[in-house]
C-alpha cells in the first residue's frame, strides 16, 4: 500500500525575492535586512513534538514537558502552547499530564521498521485536524531539553533551523537528484537540516508537510537512498521538501547543543541528548566504548532512568553535567516518575 498525499506545486522564493538579491551572513545566514529591523511584538510559537506510546518515548516527553513549563513564561520567551502529537493511534497514560493530540500511524508495514517515518504523516494529520492560536510552530523532539527561554528565531518568510554536520547535500548530489531535479535549482538550495528543531510559520509548514511525507516514502522505497541515508533519511526528506517549495532556513548554530561533542551550554537554547555520554573516572571521553560513568538514553529503552542519577566524575564537560542535573531535577519533581 502506497500513500501519496495531495500537495501543492513548487512555490517561489518565500520572501518574494530572488536568491541573488539576498545578502546572507556566512555563519548563521541571517538576511542583512533582518539585522537592522527593530524588535517587534512577540511572535509566539506553538511547541509541537511527535511521539509514540513506548515507555522510551514517554519518559523523555515527561522531562521535555517539565522544562518547557519551567522556561515558557520567563523573560525572552516566545513559547506558546504545547502539543504532543501521539502517532500510535490510541490514547496513552500521559493524556492528563501532557497536552496530546492523537493521530494515526502509517498503515502497518509501510514504515518498514523505521518509526521516524511516521513523523511527517503525524504533522500532516495534526495540521489538518487541529487548531492553534499561534502563527508559528516549533517542531521539537522528546529528547530536547529547554535550557533557556526560547525566542522566535524565525523571520517572516524565513524559518529557522539547526544545521547538522552530518546532513551533507553537496556530497550526495546523485541521490538527491532523484528527488530534487535540476530544473529546481542547484543542490546547494537544500539546507543541511532536519525538521527539528525548526521554527516555521504554520501556513508554510502546511504546504511543506505533505511533500515531506511523500519524499520520505519515496526515499524509503529507493534501496540506494535508504542504504545511504539510513536513520537520517527523514531529515533529508524534510530538507528536500523545503527546497522543492523554495524555502530557505536561517541556520542557527545557537539553536541547540549536543553533548558530549558540544562541551558547554553557552548561549544555546536547547540541549539534545541523542548521543551516549561515556567517560572514565578521569573525566576522559570514551565514545564508542561503554564508560565507567555513562548516561545514554538507550540504556532506558524499557523504562525511565532512576531518580538521582550519579553526577559525572571531575573533568567531564559542563554540558554533560548540566544534562544530568536537569534530568535529575525533572525526575525529582515529576509525580509518579517510576510508573512512567
Amino acid at each position: 500500500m502506497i500513500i501519496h498525499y495531495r500537495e501543492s506545486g513548487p512555490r517561489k522564493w518565500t520572501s518574494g525575492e530572488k536568491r541573488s538579491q539576498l545578502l546572507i551572513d556566512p555563519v548563521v545566514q541571517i538576511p542583512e535586512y533582518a539585522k537592522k529591523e527593530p524588535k517587534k511584538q512577540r511572535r509566539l510559537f506553538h511547541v509541537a513534538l511527535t511521539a509514540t506510546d513506548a515507555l522510551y518515548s514517554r519518559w523523555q516527553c515527561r522531562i521535555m514537558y517539565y522544562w518547557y513549563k519551567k522556561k515558557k513564561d520567563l523573560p525572552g520567551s516566545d513559547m506558546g502552547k504545547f502539543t504532543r502529537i501521539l502517532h500510535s493511534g490510541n490514547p496513552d497514560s500521559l493524556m492528563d499530564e501532557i497536552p496530546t493530540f492523537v493521530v494515526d500511524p502509517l498503515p502497518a508495514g509501510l514504515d518498514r521498521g523505521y518509526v521516524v517515518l511516521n513523523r511527517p504523516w503525524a504533522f500532516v494529520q495534526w495540521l489538518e485536524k487541529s487548531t492553534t492560536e499561534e502563527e508559528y510552530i516549533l517542531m521539537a523532539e522528546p529528547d530536547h531539553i529547554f535550557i533557556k527561554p526560547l525566542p522566535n528565531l524565525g523571520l517572516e518568510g524565513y524559518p529557522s533551523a539547526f544545521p547538522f554536520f552530518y546532513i551533507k547535500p553537496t556530497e550526495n548530489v546523485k541521490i538527491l537528484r532523484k528527488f530534487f531535479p535540476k530544473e529546481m535549482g542547484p543542490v546547494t538550495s537544500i539546507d543541511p537540516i532536519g525538521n527539528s528543531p525548526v521554527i516555521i510559520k504554520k501556513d508554510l509548514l502546511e504546504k511543506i508537510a505533505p511533500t515531506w511525507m511523500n519524499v520520505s516514502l519515496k526515499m524509503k522505497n529507493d534501496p540506494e537512498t535508504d542504504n545511504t541515508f539510513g536513520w537520517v533519511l527523514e531529515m533529508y526528506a524534510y530538507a528536500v521538501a523545503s527546497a522543492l517549495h523554495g524555502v530557505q532556513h536561517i541556520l542557527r548554530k545557537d539553536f541547540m547543543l549536543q553533548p558530549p561533542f558540544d562541551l558547554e551550554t553557552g548561549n544555546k537554547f536547547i540541549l539534545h541528548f541523542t548521543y551516549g555520554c561515556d567517560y572514565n573516572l578521569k573525566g576522559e571521553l570514551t565514545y564508542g566504548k561503554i564508560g565507567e560513568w555513562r548516561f545514554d538514553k538507550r540504556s532506558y529503552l524499557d523504562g525511565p532512568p532512576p531518580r538521582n542519577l550519579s553526577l559525572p566524575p571531575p573533568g567531564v564537560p559542563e554540558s554533560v553535567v548540566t544534562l544530568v542535573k536537569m534530568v535529575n531535577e525533572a525526575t525529582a519533581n515529576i509525580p509518579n516518575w517510576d510508573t512512567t
Side-chain angles (χ1 to χ4, degrees):
M1 179 179 181
I2 297 295
I3 292 179
H4 185 81
Y5 201 85
R6 185 176 181 181
E7 57 192 69
S8 59
R11 298 176 66 252
K12 298 298 183 182
W13 189 238
T14 55
S15 67
E17 300 173 281
K18 295 181 180 178
R19 292 177 186 267
S20 60
Q21 293 175 315
L22 291 174
L23 296 175
I24 300 298
D25 184 297
V27 178
V28 295
Q29 296 195 6
I30 299 176
E32 291 292 336
Y33 78 83
K35 296 179 181 179
K36 302 173 184 177
E37 285 188 346
K39 185 173 178 59
K40 299 179 181 179
Q41 64 182 5
R42 293 181 70 194
R43 295 170 301 134
L44 297 179
F45 55 82
H46 194 97
V47 179
L49 76 156
T50 55
T52 73
D53 61 1
L55 284 169
Y56 178 63
S57 177
R58 293 210 302 269
W59 70 256
Q60 293 177 57
C61 288
R62 297 184 82 189
I63 292 174
M64 197 271 197
Y65 186 58
Y66 172 86
W67 284 106
Y68 156 80
K69 291 188 294 183
K70 292 274 287 187
K71 305 298 182 181
K72 174 182 179 293
D73 296 322
L74 295 180
S77 168
D78 286 324
M79 301 161 76
K81 293 183 179 179
F82 186 103
T83 300
R84 180 181 64 130
I85 307 171
L86 181 64
H87 55 74
S88 300
N90 295 294
D92 69 359
S93 61
L94 296 182
M95 302 296 292
D96 293 333
E97 179 178 334
I98 303 175
T100 298
F101 192 92
V102 179
V103 297
D104 294 325
L106 289 168
L110 197 60
D111 65 15
R112 293 164 54 193
Y114 182 52
V115 179
V116 183
L117 210 60
N118 286 276
R119 183 176 292 155
W121 176 222
F123 269 108
V124 167
Q125 295 174 82
W126 177 66
L127 289 165
E128 279 193 344
K129 300 175 182 179
S130 70
T131 57
T132 57
E133 300 173 1
E134 301 87 351
E135 189 178 3
Y136 291 81
I137 292 169
L138 164 67
M139 292 190 282
E141 297 182 11
D143 58 358
H144 287 176
I145 292 177
F146 294 105
I147 55 178
K148 289 173 56 179
L150 180 61
N152 190 332
L153 303 176
L155 298 169
E156 183 70 31
Y158 297 90
S160 61
F162 176 78
F164 289 91
F165 70 89
Y166 48 79
I167 302 298
K168 302 177 179 179
T170 56
E171 295 183 13
N172 293 281
V173 175
K174 177 176 175 289
I175 289 176
L176 290 174
R177 281 303 184 199
K178 297 180 181 182
F179 314 97
F180 189 75
K182 287 185 178 180
E183 57 266 28
M184 295 304 300
V187 169
T188 52
S189 300
I190 302 172
D191 291 325
I193 61 172
N195 84 289
S196 178
V198 165
I199 297 177
I200 185 170
K201 289 194 75 172
K202 181 181 178 182
D203 60 355
L204 194 53
L205 183 58
E206 287 172 338
K207 295 172 182 177
I208 293 173
T211 309
W212 172 27
M213 190 191 78
N214 289 335
V215 173
S216 295
L217 291 170
K218 289 176 183 177
M219 285 184 169
K220 190 64 179 174
N221 287 322
D222 181 80
E224 181 186 19
T225 306
D226 189 22
N227 290 334
T228 301
F229 290 163
W231 66 275
V232 298
L233 180 148
E234 169 267 340
M235 297 173 70
Y236 271 102
Y238 174 80
V240 168
S242 297
L244 287 170
H245 285 276
V247 176
Q248 182 185 27
H249 296 70
I250 299 167
L251 304 180
R252 295 289 300 248
K253 293 182 180 180
D254 59 346
F255 211 148
M256 188 168 74
L257 73 146
Q258 302 185 101
F261 303 111
D262 293 311
L263 306 182
E264 297 180 352
T265 54
N267 64 343
K268 308 296 176 61
F269 295 100
I270 292 173
L271 190 154
H272 185 206
F273 58 97
T274 190
Y275 295 107
C277 300
D278 288 276
Y279 292 86
N280 62 28
L281 297 183
K282 298 179 181 178
E284 299 168 335
L285 182 66
T286 63
Y287 190 74
K289 177 183 177 182
I290 294 177
E292 296 172 279
W293 180 93
R294 75 179 327 226
F295 177 79
D296 187 338
K297 66 177 185 177
R298 294 164 192 83
S299 299
Y300 307 103
L301 294 174
D302 300 321
R307 286 174 162 150
N308 196 28
L309 293 168
S310 64
L311 293 178
V316 170
E318 177 264 341
S319 62
V320 179
V321 177
T322 297
L323 165 60
V324 178
K325 286 182 176 180
M326 295 186 82
V327 168
N328 280 346
E329 178 180 330
T331 61
N333 289 282
I334 295 174
N336 304 311
W337 174 252
D338 295 330
T339 60
T340 296

